[in-house]
């Protein structure tokens, strides 16, 4: 090909790339405009109204046009301060901000001490850290420390020593027992903070650093507000609360989520024992920032400081990440662990070639520890560990290391990962006979085959769970453009990441050899396929988002300066749009009203979800000796201070079993009495729906009329009548 034709082709590809970026960004803005959101909500609510036989008045669009979210974002802070002027309290505001500051300091201390633990282990196995830059080293050592921290607190739980003074003593012992690492990590943290200041002094990186900082600031009011996210109330905070009340690890048979691995919840437990739920939420935010630091360090392997800052900002400003920064979830811990594993694998790949037996022994150990920590954090870590094991085989084979050496290295990796991740699996094996309960088997009398099928179907319902080829072909477009949060249908992936990966995707197809980019691309392709064929919930994809962005920006830089400029412009445009979208979603929740003292805790929580908090307050007024059977009431154990039973997945299951076995109203009463039940709490609308599906439940209304008396009745209205109806019954003779 002549130089003229080569230049023409290159200009054509550059023009096509620019047009593709404009098309993707325009489609994203239109898809996430308030006009489309309102239309989508109207459609869902109209279908619900038709099913209930009532009239529905659609929401009005106050700001027409595809950029309606811009003025909404602009009114976010103004609205909160107007409310503050009308009825807020500066005293309450200051106290809540200072409490948040204390939680942030405690979270920072936990991260610091965990990094010290990781540094001690890395020193012990003689990890060649010279292959890592400072942010990479921080991410790897913190990930290794997560494994150690989880194991330590698992053992403390076995001896029933979950007490605040014990937690404090363990933290002091870590600091005192790792004095040399304490000093080393302290100096390195100081260098990291100095490097953070350099991000704002770099001309190219400045706008990206500012956008990332804005996203963190936007998340802070959510972090400072009481916990209201569903998963946190059901198990991320509810299980540590139950463990602290018991003093150790205990089985919670009415909550299948309590059988999940609990490494991250050990951090929440430590934070809650010393600083309450706000400290636990700051722990998750701190892990998110650590993941961002790891992404920046990983990007510095391939690109200069400005594009590396852009990669970090693209991750932090993704609405799903910015939203999760304020929640006590585990997803950003998973992100840190996968980023650290990618860093360690890449450093391993940069070793000597061909590899000889005895060289690079530490890297399989470190990868095993990190992936073991991931298995102890989330079940999805098991296939991810298998993926990394396969990639290690590919790597050693490429180096000509020999089959025996490859199998030995992968065997060491697999053994270490299993040993580090096994405590929580062993706990389940003892309790249920199934190490990955509630998946892959039915092992409990209160968890039957129908519930198992319902759980599997629920997991598959995220995204497009069918196997149609066109669905898979359109998946990159759908997760980038058409995704949304969960208050829309589940087929919108329950999250938003933005179109950046879609924009950079054409460049990734042209990934070149050098610095192991091709190997990294193969690894990340495997991670994407795991997301496609397991569950298409956005939170399962988020851990791979940062490394994929780094890969895309590195490919853009290798394509030439013009492609790099367009890629950075796309990052900036997407980050700005994502920041506005994040502000809108935070504004809908209204956490600033609580932070600034306009609302108290009860008023704020009463606005969230669908009225469950007010119902649980009534349950908490019962005598401590009571036992309440809760039906379709959310299973929010974190809010409930009284003993309760709540079916884990199908809310009417216990009542259905009693009706199916006893066949009479009196028999239902007698069976519940044998279980110790004194009260029944029900959400009636969903119970009516379930009663149409299961004929045995038709005995329940007669049972309620004969053998119970209502002591609390509450209708929750959210724009439409009869959305939720809660009733608390007391069993009678």
């Amino acid at each position: 090909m002549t130089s003229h034709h080569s230049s023409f082709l290159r200009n054509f590809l550059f023009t096509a790339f620019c047009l593709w970026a404009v098309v993707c960004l325009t489609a994203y803005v239109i898809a996430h405009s308030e006009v489309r959101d309102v239309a989508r909500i109207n459609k869902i609510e109209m279908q619900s109204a038709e099913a209930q036989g009532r009239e529905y008045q659609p929401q009005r669009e106050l700001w027409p046009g595809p950029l309606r979210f811009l003025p909404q974002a602009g009114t976010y802070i103004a609205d909160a301060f107007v409310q503050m002027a009308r009825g807020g309290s500066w005293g309450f505001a200051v106290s809540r901000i200072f409490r948040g500051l204390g939680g942030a300091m405690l979270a920072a201390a936990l991260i610091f001490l965990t990094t010290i633990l990781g540094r001690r282990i890395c020193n012990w196995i003689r990890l060649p850290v010279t292959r890592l830059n400072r942010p990479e080293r921080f991410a790897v050592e913190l990930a290794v420390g997560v494994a150690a921290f989880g194991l330590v607190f698992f053992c403390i739980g076995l001896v029933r020593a979950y007490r605040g003074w014990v937690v404090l003593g363990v933290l002091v012992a870590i600091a005192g027992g790792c004095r040399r690492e304490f000093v080393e990590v302290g100096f390195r943290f100081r260098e990291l903070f100095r490097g953070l200041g350099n991000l704002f002094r770099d001309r190219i990186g400045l706008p990206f650093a500012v956008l990332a900082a804005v996203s963190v600031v936007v998340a802070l009011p959510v972090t400072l507000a009481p916990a209201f996210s569903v998963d946190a109330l059901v198990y991320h905070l509810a299980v540590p609360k139950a463990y602290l009340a018991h003093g150790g690890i205990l089985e919670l048979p009415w909550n299948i989520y309590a059988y999940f691995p609990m490494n991250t919840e050990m951090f929440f437990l430590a934070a809650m024992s010393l600083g309450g739920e706000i400290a636990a939420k700051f722990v998750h935010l701190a892990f998110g920032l650590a993941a961002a630091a790891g992404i920046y360090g990983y990007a510095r392997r391939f690109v200069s400081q400005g594009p590396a800052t852009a990669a970090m900002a693209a991750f932090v400003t993704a609405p799903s990440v910015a939203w999760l920064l304020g929640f006590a979830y585990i997803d950003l811990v998973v992100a840190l662990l996968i980023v650290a594993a990618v860093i360690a694998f890449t450093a391993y790949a940069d070793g000597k070639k061909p590899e000889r037996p005895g060289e690079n022994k530490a890297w399989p150990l470190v990868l095993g520890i990190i992936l073991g920590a991931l298995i102890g954090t989330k079940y999805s870590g098991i296939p991810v560990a298998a993926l990394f094991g396969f990639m290690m085989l590919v790597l050693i084979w490429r180096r000509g290391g020999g089959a025996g050496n490859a199998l030995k290295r992968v065997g060491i990796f697999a053994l270490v990962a299993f040993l580090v991740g096994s405590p929580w699996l062993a706990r389940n094996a003892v309790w249920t006979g199934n190490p990955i309960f509630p998946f892959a088997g039915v092992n409990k009398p209160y968890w039957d085959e129908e519930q198992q099928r319902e759980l599997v179907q629920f997991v598959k319902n995220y995204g497009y769970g069918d196997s149609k080829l066109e669905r898979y072909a359109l998946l990159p477009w759908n997760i980038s453009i058409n995704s949304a949060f969960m208050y829309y249908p589940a087929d919108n992936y329950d999250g938003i990441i933005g179109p950046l990966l879609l924009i950079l995707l054409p460049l990734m197809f042209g990934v070149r050899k050098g610095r192991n980019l091709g190997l990294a691309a193969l690894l990340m392709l495997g991670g994407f396929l795991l997301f496609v064929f397991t569950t298409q919930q956005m939170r399962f994809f988020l851990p791979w988002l940062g490394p994929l962005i780094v890969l895309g920006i590195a490919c853009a830089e290798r394509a030439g300066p013009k492609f790099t400029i367009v890629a950075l412009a796309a990052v900036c445009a997407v980050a700005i749009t994502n920041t506005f979208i994040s502000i809108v979603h935070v504004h809908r929740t209204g956490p600033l009203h609580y932070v600034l003292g306009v609302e108290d805790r009860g008023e704020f929580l009463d606005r969230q979800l669908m009225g469950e908090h007010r119902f649980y307050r009534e349950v908490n007024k019962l005598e401590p000796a009571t036992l309440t059977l809760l039906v379709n009431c959310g299973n929010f154990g974190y809010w409930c201070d009284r003993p309760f039973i709540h079916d884990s997945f199908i809310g009417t299951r216990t009542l259905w079993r009693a009706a199916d076995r006893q066949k009479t109203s009196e028999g239902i009463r007698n069976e519940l009495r044998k279980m110790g039940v004194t009260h029944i709490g029900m959400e009636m609308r969903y119970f009516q729906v379930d009663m149409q599906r299961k004929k045995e439940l038709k005995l329940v209304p007669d049972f309620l009329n004969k053998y119970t008396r209502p002591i609390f009745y509450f209708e929750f209205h959210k724009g439409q009548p009869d959305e939720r109806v809660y009733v608390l019954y007391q069993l009678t003779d």
Side-chain angles (χ1 to χ4, degrees), residues 19-35:
L19 291 175
W20 172 246
V22 171
V23 168
C24 292
L25 184 60
T26 303
Y28 179 64
V29 170
I30 293 174
H32 290 275
S33 67
E34 280 300 300
V35 171

Side-chain angles (χ1 to χ4, degrees), residues 232-540:
L233 300 176
V234 174
Y235 64 106
H236 291 314
L237 294 179
V239 173
K241 176 186 175 183
Y243 284 6
L244 283 171
H246 179 68
I249 295 173
L250 81 159
E251 187 175 10
L252 301 173
W254 302 103
N255 187 345
I256 59 167
Y257 307 103
Y259 295 91
F260 287 2
M262 292 281 158
N263 267 355
T264 301
E265 283 77 5
M266 294 298 97
F267 285 91
F268 295 161
L269 183 147
M272 291 168 65
S273 68
L274 299 175
E277 68 184 78
I278 302 301
K281 296 172 76 175
F282 269 104
V283 166
H284 193 236
L285 185 147
F287 272 109
L289 298 181
I295 290 166
Y296 172 80
Y298 182 60
R300 290 291 281 127
R301 281 183 169 269
F302 310 108
V303 297
S304 57
Q305 180 172 316
T309 308
M312 179 269 295
F315 173 78
V316 174
T317 57
S320 281
V321 175
W323 188 236
L324 288 172
L325 285 172
F327 290 167
Y329 276 20
I330 67 172
D331 303 280
L332 298 182
V333 182
V334 174
L336 168 73
L337 294 174
I338 288 184
V339 168
V342 170
I343 290 170
F345 179 79
T346 306
Y348 183 34
D350 285 342
K352 295 180 180 179
K353 305 173 186 179
E355 183 176 278
R356 299 180 180 86
E359 294 178 344
N360 299 322
K361 292 185 297 184
W363 292 109
L365 288 174
V366 165
L367 274 168
I369 294 171
I370 294 173
L371 272 299
L374 183 59
I375 294 171
T377 301
K378 198 165 187 171
Y379 282 141
S380 60
I382 297 174
V384 172
L387 170 65
F388 274 88
F390 170 75
M391 291 302 301
M392 286 179 65
L393 282 174
V394 173
L395 173 63
I396 298 173
W397 172 76
R398 284 184 59 192
R399 288 178 170 180
N405 186 38
L407 291 175
K408 180 181 177 181
R409 294 297 173 88
V410 174
I412 293 172
F413 159 79
L415 178 62
V416 172
F418 171 77
L419 291 176
V420 173
S422 63
W424 299 107
L425 308 184
R427 174 204 63 173
N428 289 351
V430 171
W431 285 345
T432 71
N434 177 7
I436 57 171
F437 183 82
F439 299 99
V442 178
N443 301 87
K444 283 290 187 179
Y446 48 79
W447 184 250
D448 56 34
E449 293 180 358
E450 182 178 355
Q451 288 170 299
Q452 175 77 21
R453 288 193 298 270
E454 290 279 349
L455 175 61
V456 172
Q457 187 58 46
F458 176 79
V459 170
K460 288 183 177 180
N461 278 344
Y462 286 103
Y464 294 98
D466 54 45
S467 57
K468 294 180 180 179
L469 184 60
E470 61 268 23
R471 297 291 196 191
Y472 291 125
L474 291 173
L475 189 61
W477 178 269
N478 284 329
I479 64 172
S480 301
I481 305 300
N482 294 323
S483 58
F485 287 112
M486 190 56 173
Y487 46 77
Y488 303 124
D491 62 3
N492 284 311
Y493 307 99
D494 188 21
I496 303 172
I497 59 171
L500 183 61
L501 287 182
L502 191 65
I503 293 171
L504 299 176
L505 185 60
L507 299 178
M508 296 185 199
F509 284 112
V511 62
R512 300 176 181 178
K513 293 183 179 180
R515 296 194 178 181
N516 295 302
L517 273 180
L519 204 61
L522 183 60
L523 175 64
M524 292 168 208
L525 174 63
F528 179 74
L529 292 178
L530 288 178
F531 162 73
V532 172
F533 294 109
T534 52
T535 176
Q536 293 176 13
Q537 186 183 24
M538 194 65 75
R539 281 188 275 147
F540 284 76

Side-chain angles (χ1 to χ4, degrees), residues 78-202:
D79 175 64
F81 278 95
V82 167
Q83 295 292 332
M84 178 73 182
R86 290 176 177 174
S89 168
W90 286 109
F92 278 120
V94 171
S95 68
R96 287 165 184 171
I97 291 172
F98 270 97
R99 187 176 66 172
L101 181 61
M105 294 175 65
L106 177 58
L110 287 173
I111 295 295
F112 180 75
L113 293 174
T114 305
T115 308
I116 288 173
L117 269 180
R119 177 64 178 267
R120 167 60 69 91
I121 295 171
C122 290
N123 286 342
W124 178 65
I125 63 177
R126 298 180 180 178
L127 183 71
V129 293
T130 54
R131 297 186 194 173
L132 306 174
N133 56 46
R134 289 194 185 99
E136 285 183 317
R137 188 175 178 182
F138 164 61
V140 169
E141 290 176 351
L142 178 57
V144 172
V146 168
F149 192 96
L151 289 173
V152 168
F153 275 81
F154 177 83
C155 294
I156 293 173
L158 291 180
V159 298
R160 295 191 59 181
Y162 285 150
R163 300 288 187 273
W165 65 269
V166 174
V167 172
L168 183 60
V170 169
L171 299 180
V172 171
I174 293 173
C178 305
R179 290 185 295 274
R180 189 183 72 176
E181 288 79 9
F182 188 98
V183 174
E184 292 174 352
V185 173
F187 278 115
R188 190 145 31 84
F189 267 54
R190 186 178 65 177
E191 293 171 354
L192 284 173
F193 281 112
R194 286 178 178 174
L196 181 64
N198 291 334
L199 298 182
F200 291 91
R201 286 189 285 270
D202 180 68

